[in-house]
Amino acid sequence: MIKSELVQRISEHNPHLYQRDVENIVNAILDEIVAALARGDRVELRGFGAFSVKHRPARSGRNPRTGEHVPVDQKSVPFFKTGKEMRERLNKANGEDTSH
């Protein structure tokens, strides 16, 4: 599913809202998540999951074509961990038994 499909589905389930308003809301939510991650904050949506930032240190990489060693700068990457409720719903949807 892409963002425009998400907006379309939310609009269909909420006919009292204009599609452009739903699109603005979705964009605002995503922008706030990105802004929080950029500040180094963790974003937790109960029942859904948590977004955080992992920092990867600088390292020495290798060009696969030439075999030459190249420096790779440190970088920050987004990380998502699913919530318990989401994992349970996905496993039930797949017909698996989650009670161990």
Side-chain angles (χ1 to χ4, degrees), residues 2-37:
I2 59 175
K3 186 166 59 170
S4 60
E5 291 171 337
L6 176 64
V7 168
Q8 182 66 38
R9 286 198 186 177
I10 293 172
S11 295
E12 289 170 2
H13 288 114
N14 297 279
H16 60 286
L17 297 174
Y18 291 113
Q19 185 168 341
R20 70 175 180 269
D21 292 338
V22 172
E23 185 173 0
N24 288 337
I25 292 167
V26 169
N27 285 334
I29 291 169
L30 297 177
D31 289 346
E32 285 301 316
I33 291 172
V34 171
L37 292 175

Side-chain angles (χ1 to χ4, degrees), residues 34-49:
V34 171
L37 292 175
R39 290 190 306 267
D41 294 342
R42 182 173 184 267
V43 178
E44 183 177 334
L45 304 171
R46 297 284 167 118
F48 183 74

Side-chain angles (χ1 to χ4, degrees), residues 27-99:
N27 285 334
I29 291 169
L30 297 177
D31 289 346
E32 285 301 316
I33 291 172
V34 171
L37 292 175
R39 290 190 306 267
D41 294 342
R42 182 173 184 267
V43 178
E44 183 177 334
L45 304 171
R46 297 284 167 118
F48 183 74
F51 296 91
S52 59
V53 177
K54 295 221 175 198
H55 301 284
R56 297 206 175 139
R59 62 183 175 84
S60 176
R62 191 179 65 81
N63 182 331
R65 186 173 296 164
T66 64
E68 175 188 1
H69 287 278
V70 293
V72 177
D73 293 337
Q74 71 176 17
K75 59 184 165 184
S76 300
V77 293
F79 180 75
F80 177 75
K81 181 178 179 187
T82 58
K84 180 180 175 186
E85 185 178 322
M86 179 193 281
R87 282 193 304 273
E88 289 174 353
R89 287 179 65 183
L90 289 173
N91 286 324
K92 285 179 186 173
N94 291 332
E96 296 177 10
D97 183 14
T98 59
S99 60

